[in-house]
Amino acid sequence: MPKLSYLKALNRALGDEMARDESVFVLGEDVNHAITFVTAGLLDRFGPDRIVETPLSEQAVANVATGAALAGRRPVVEFAIPFLLQLVLEQVANQAHKFSVMSGGQARVPVTYLVSSAGWRPGWGGQHSDQPHGLFVHSGVKTVMPATPTDAYGLLLTAIRDDDPVVFIAPRIALDVREDVDYEDLVPVPLGSARIHRPGTDVTVVAIGHHVYDALAVAETLAGEVSIEVFDPRSLYPFDWAALAESLSRTGRLVVVDDANRSCGVAAEIMATAAEEMRLVAPPRRITRPDGAVVGCNPELDVALQPSREQLAAVVRQVVRAQTSIST
């Protein structure tokens, strides 16, 4: 079987969808030069009318995409750096996201905001390493963060075909991940559908984005001690609450790991909903960045601020011990 990388999956999904639907086009800074490689080869295939180089103004680009969507096109806006989403929060959450409801369903705004390299990486810079997905989940904007190449391909197709705005976040650390695939098996992945990467009976670890691989590694390391179920939401909004409830009905214990700030984050929402509505036999725990963390400035501090496999293993053990003490 051929191997498909996460980055190539994004490129392939864009090319396949642009070939299928002439209303799809890509716009953004440096897309003609494919600086992130997401649009590599697409300018030659589709021309400058559908791979549109833009000025350095994220707010203007986001508003152009909204107008194009209202006029019947399906734009994909590429943002190479995650903090750029913070610059367009108003354009996405207060404008594009609300037009459908404000018009009584008469308007649709099918824009995909593709963040092709999100989260922390060494030397990425203090103003480049934020994870803003919680802002859009809070605003009710459809938001996805797949961990694997096949899910990246399938969710990007779904995002482009959706009639509402969708924020698609590709974790930087996952971009080089490769997966054996049969190209005939690459299909759209529905929004709001989670994936269990590894079944377990003792603890459910909800791992967001690239932390799926950390959770799988910890599950393997602790296999003789704790049975960990690795739960990948894939879609952060809508979230697959039914799948999480089913997982917790088996394990009764919850740990969430997310590369984002602690307060008011997606990890907090997952824990709160689980505590309110689902079966838990021990207090849930989360592993995140500290509040107010500014990563990208000091290499050693950067590493210390990131959720780690060692932290995850320690918290999993604490959750299991907490359950044992409650039972006795």
Side-chain angles (χ1 to χ4, degrees), residues 131-203:
Q131 278 284 42
H133 50 274
L135 296 175
F136 295 91
V137 171
H138 172 75
S139 301
V141 178
K142 295 176 180 178
T143 305
V144 300
M145 192 187 297
T148 69
T150 51
D151 286 342
Y153 178 94
L155 278 167
L156 186 51
L157 291 191
T158 300
I160 294 170
R161 296 177 188 181
D162 198 283
D163 284 339
D164 292 321
V166 180
V167 174
F168 185 110
I169 298 178
R172 171 64 188 86
I173 295 176
L175 292 183
D176 295 329
V177 171
R178 294 177 179 273
E179 194 174 7
D180 292 328
V181 300
D182 182 340
Y183 290 133
E184 296 298 322
D185 294 336
L186 291 174
V187 295
V189 174
L191 298 181
S193 64
R195 177 177 178 180
I196 302 295
H197 287 270
R198 179 181 176 124
T201 57
D202 292 331
V203 183

Side-chain angles (χ1 to χ4, degrees), residues 81 88 146:
I81 302 171
V88 300

Side-chain angles (χ1 to χ4, degrees), residues 37 74 84 107 120 254 266 270 294 296:
F37 300 102
R74 289 187 177 272
L84 296 176
W120 174 84
L254 174 65
V266 173
I270 293 170
V294 179

Side-chain angles (χ1 to χ4, degrees), residues 33-50:
H33 302 287
I35 193 169
T36 65
F37 300 102
V38 168
T39 55
L42 299 184
L43 179 62
D44 292 338
R45 287 179 63 187
F46 300 104
D49 291 338
R50 296 183 67 194

Side-chain angles (χ1 to χ4, degrees), residues 210-257:
H210 67 276
H211 288 301
V212 165
Y213 301 101
D214 296 324
L216 288 170
V218 170
E220 184 63 28
T221 299
L222 300 184
E225 179 182 350
V226 181
S227 176
I228 297 175
E229 180 146 299
V230 178
F231 183 101
D232 176 6
R234 302 195 290 193
S235 174
L236 302 179
Y237 191 92
F239 193 93
D240 194 347
W241 297 115
L244 181 60
E246 182 180 350
S247 177
L248 291 176
S249 71
R250 293 188 293 271
T251 67
R253 282 148 258 161
L254 174 65
V255 175
V256 187
V257 56

Side-chain angles (χ1 to χ4, degrees), residues 3 11 15 31 74 94 97 104 113-115 126 132 197 209 213 219 232 259 274 282 295 301 312 316:
K3 286 189 176 293
N11 175 262
V31 293
R74 289 187 177 272
N94 196 43
H97 170 58
Y113 309 94
L114 172 59
V115 184
H197 287 270
Y213 301 101
D232 176 6
D259 175 21
V295 300
L301 180 61
L312 179 56
V316 165

